[in-house]
Amino acid sequence: NVLATQQTRPGDGARPTMAWSPGEVVVQTYQIPIDAAAGTSITPEIVLVDAATGTRLNLIGEDGRWLFDYLRLSPIMISD
């Protein structure tokens, strides 16, 4: 179930992925409101999308193999 979603470009558009260098770390913080109906724990997933086509992009492993089209993060506990 999708509880929340947010689409934005890296660096609010100032850091397009085409300008990234291999191994470069790009940090961006997001605040996404989560409804109380989500429960006590969520498992976020990150999806990269081609801005021109809307197509989900595959992640590529360090060995060059294509991986999934999402990155699942560790569960996050939700509290008041």
Side-chain angles (χ1 to χ4, degrees):
N1 295 346
V2 175
L3 301 174
T5 184
Q6 183 178 49
Q7 291 187 6
T8 185
R9 295 190 169 141
D12 294 323
R15 297 294 319 274
T17 56
M18 297 294 286
W20 294 0
S21 300
E24 180 179 0
V25 175
V26 177
V27 177
Q28 187 156 339
T29 301
Y30 296 94
Q31 292 184 7
I32 301 174
I34 303 294
D35 191 281
T40 59
S41 175
I42 61 168
T43 303
E45 292 181 356
I46 296 174
V47 177
L48 300 179
V49 178
D50 183 313
T53 65
T55 303
R56 289 169 65 141
L57 303 175
N58 282 0
L59 301 175
I60 300 173
E62 291 183 36
D63 60 0
R65 290 186 303 139
W66 284 36
L67 305 172
F68 301 106
D69 63 354
Y70 64 91
L71 175 63
R72 182 171 288 148
L73 303 179
S74 299
I76 297 173
M77 301 305 294
I78 300 173
S79 61
D80 292 336

